[in-house]
Amino acid sequence: MKSTSTLLKLRNIINTLDKDLITLLAKRKTTVIQIAETKVEQNYPIRDIEREQLLLKNLTIFGKKNNLDDKYIYDLFNIIIKDSIFTQNNWIRQNYCQNKKLKSFSFLGDAGSYSYDATKKYANKHFQFFIKNSCNNFEEIINNVEDNKSDYAVLPIENNTSGSIHEIYALLIHTTLSIVGEINIPINHCLLSQKNTQLINIKKIYSHKQPFMQCSKFIKHFPNWKLKHTNSTTDAMEKTRNDTNFMSAALGNETCKKKYQLKVLSRNISNLENNVTRFIILRKKSVHIPNHTPTITTIMMSINNKKNLTEETIQILKKYNLKIRQLIPYTLSKTSSDTTIFIDIKNNIHTDQIKQAINKLNGITSVKILGRYPIDKCSL
């Protein structure tokens, strides 16, 4: 009887403590919203990765002093911090996006991914403040903008090592969004692992499929590695950090090592020394580009089984003194005869030459203008 009474008392203490924890978390959330408001007013970014890492470090040290396990404290407050970021983004979206004209961007992965680098570079150039929407795949990025969950989509379309990213061209065929910008981002892939992992012990490598292609020469030196595809490079680092066997590594951006508590085993492992990815920026409405601004107009044409249509297209563009930056043929599948070509033209759609050329092309096949946007001076 005594033991039952004691157990009930202890359980009541736990119940009270749990309620106290919830009360404190609610107070914390209220403060988080106040922080969000301050950040907007002072044009501070939502995410401060260095502060997050310092906070987690100090909390784990404090937890140790109170006989609490490092990983338990780290995982617990990592969840709390992620919720804080979500709360701030959600509050800003609801209270400031329309009134203050803050813009939101959807991109692949999380802060620290190369897509995030492209997003940040473009957003900082055009806006004082932006909201980030992390996505798991390219289709989700497009859908977010089409469904008004984001203002802009950021997509990698071409890499000078691995070539065109065909999934993006498949999406461009069907989307109603317009390309309004391009950003070229230097890519410096690294091999990252947990601090206790040695190169000789690695069995699995995590990454998005693009880094695997771009680092194929380095990977060939380790034929026993199992390559595991992930949604993004930041997703790969999350999986590597959680590997309890210390036998995995990730390909990705070195800037993520602090966030995911990883170390760099090898740097500069891309097939090309100057590895660059071109990203395109899309939104619902097109933008007006002054005639004097160096501009790309991207068009899409269906050529299907029409013979010599590609050559005829090139001749028409040359006739009107239009410069082709690149021409990309895309076939939906190996068994399909339907082919679409994507052409980047170094001219503004508003010039007479390009208007006349497109009218001429519309006479022989269907032409869709995907967008016009300033040329990024940082070349691919």
Side-chain angles (χ1 to χ4, degrees):
M1 190 76 177
K2 183 181 178 182
S3 60
T4 303
S5 175
T6 302
L7 181 60
L8 286 172
K9 286 180 181 179
L10 292 172
R11 282 177 172 171
N12 284 332
I13 291 171
I14 287 292
N15 291 341
T16 301
L17 289 171
D18 287 343
K19 288 179 180 179
D20 289 342
L21 282 173
I22 290 173
T23 301
L24 287 171
L25 286 172
K27 287 181 178 179
R28 190 184 195 282
K29 198 157 193 169
T30 301
T31 306
V32 162
I33 291 172
Q34 292 172 347
I35 288 172
E37 186 173 9
T38 303
K39 285 179 177 178
V40 170
E41 289 173 353
Q42 299 181 10
N43 293 320
Y44 285 138
I46 286 293
R47 202 80 188 262
D48 186 341
I49 294 175
E50 287 189 10
R51 170 175 157 69
E52 289 172 22
Q53 293 304 312
L54 181 62
L55 180 63
L56 288 170
K57 181 181 178 181
N58 291 336
L59 287 169
T60 52
I61 292 171
F62 185 69
K64 259 187 178 181
K65 291 179 180 178
N66 287 274
N67 300 314
L68 293 172
D69 180 69
D70 289 18
K71 191 174 187 306
Y72 170 71
I73 293 295
Y74 182 91
D75 290 345
L76 175 63
F77 277 92
N78 198 35
I79 292 170
I80 291 171
I81 289 170
K82 284 184 177 180
D83 179 71
S84 295
I85 294 163
F86 173 81
T87 298
Q88 291 181 58
N89 277 327
N90 193 46
W91 184 85
I92 291 170
R93 191 179 295 113
Q94 291 178 358
N95 293 276
Y96 275 82
C97 276
Q98 292 182 351
N99 296 335
K100 297 287 185 178
K101 298 183 178 179
L102 300 180
K103 302 301 179 182
S104 58
F105 287 75
S106 283
F107 57 92
L108 188 67
D110 205 341
S113 67
Y114 293 110
S115 290
Y116 176 70
D117 288 349
T119 301
K120 189 167 60 172
K121 182 178 177 182
Y122 182 85
N124 289 344
K125 185 178 178 181
H126 296 275
F127 310 104
Q128 288 185 317
F129 189 88
F130 74 97
I131 298 167
K132 71 180 187 68
N133 290 329
S134 302
C135 298
N136 291 320
N137 55 65
F138 297 139
E139 189 173 4
E140 182 185 353
I141 295 170
I142 290 286
N143 289 341
N144 275 356
V145 180
E146 290 180 339
D147 296 340
N148 296 314
K149 294 177 182 177
S150 279
D151 298 299
Y152 291 86
V154 181
L155 295 168
I157 193 168
E158 180 186 4
N159 177 269
N160 62 345
T161 302
S162 55
S164 300
I165 301 174
H166 292 284
E167 299 99 312
I168 305 303
Y169 287 102
L171 291 170
L172 290 176
I173 290 174
H174 302 290
T175 187
T176 57
L177 302 182
S178 180
I179 305 173
V180 296
E182 68 173 5
I183 291 289
N184 293 313
I185 296 294
I187 306 296
N188 179 16
H189 289 308
C190 298
L191 184 71
L192 301 103
S193 69
Q194 292 190 56
K195 293 176 182 178
N196 294 331
T197 304
Q198 301 300 318
L199 186 62
I200 195 171
N201 297 327
I202 291 176
K203 303 294 182 185
K204 288 186 294 187
I205 302 294
Y206 292 106
S207 196
H208 187 268
K209 66 179 181 179
Q210 283 295 319
F212 283 136
M213 295 166 65
Q214 295 164 24
C215 303
S216 58
K217 291 180 181 178
F218 175 83
I219 294 170
K220 281 183 180 179
H221 293 295
F222 305 94
N224 295 324
W225 283 355
K226 291 182 179 178
L227 307 186
K228 300 288 184 178
H229 291 84
T230 57
N231 293 328
S232 64
T233 54
T234 49
D235 184 30
M237 294 188 197
E238 183 71 37
K239 291 183 181 298
T240 300
R241 179 175 67 179
N242 294 331
D243 179 15
T244 56
N245 295 318
F246 305 107
M247 291 184 178
S248 65
L251 296 180
N253 197 338
E254 184 175 354
T255 59
C256 292
K257 68 179 182 180
K258 285 185 179 180
K259 177 182 176 182
Y260 294 98
Q261 295 184 314
L262 301 177
K263 67 177 181 181
V264 177
L265 292 176
S266 297
R267 288 183 174 86
N268 304 315
I269 59 175
S270 300
N271 295 348
L272 289 180
E273 184 176 347
N274 296 316
N275 189 14
V276 179
T277 295
R278 181 167 73 97
F279 291 81
I280 53 173
I281 319 298
L282 302 97
R283 72 173 197 177
K284 281 195 168 182
K285 292 183 178 180
S286 61
V287 293
H288 174 75
I289 311 294
N291 288 343
H292 64 272
T293 302
T295 303
I296 292 293
T297 297
T298 298
I299 64 172
M300 178 181 78
M301 298 173 54
S302 176
I303 62 173
N304 299 327
N305 293 318
K306 298 175 182 177
K307 294 181 180 179
N308 302 321
L309 187 53
T310 302
E311 184 59 36
E312 189 177 350
T313 298
I314 293 171
Q315 292 304 319
I316 289 172
L317 295 176
K318 283 183 176 178
K319 177 183 176 181
Y320 290 96
N321 297 316
L322 301 177
K323 296 179 181 178
I324 299 174
R325 183 172 71 174
Q326 69 173 2
L327 186 152
I328 303 292
Y330 174 81
T331 304
L332 193 60
S333 66
K334 291 181 180 179
T335 57
S336 174
S337 60
D338 294 339
T339 300
T340 302
I341 58 173
F342 295 84
I343 308 176
D344 287 347
I345 305 169
K346 285 187 173 183
N347 294 83
N348 194 321
I349 188 68
H350 292 306
T351 60
D352 290 337
Q353 300 104 303
I354 201 167
K355 285 180 181 178
Q356 293 170 16
I358 288 176
N359 285 336
K360 188 80 172 177
L361 291 172
N362 269 319
I364 58 175
T365 188
S366 60
V367 179
K368 179 183 176 182
I369 299 168
L370 296 178
R372 56 185 183 275
Y373 45 95
I375 297 174
D376 186 4
K377 294 178 182 178
C378 178
S379 60
L380 186 69

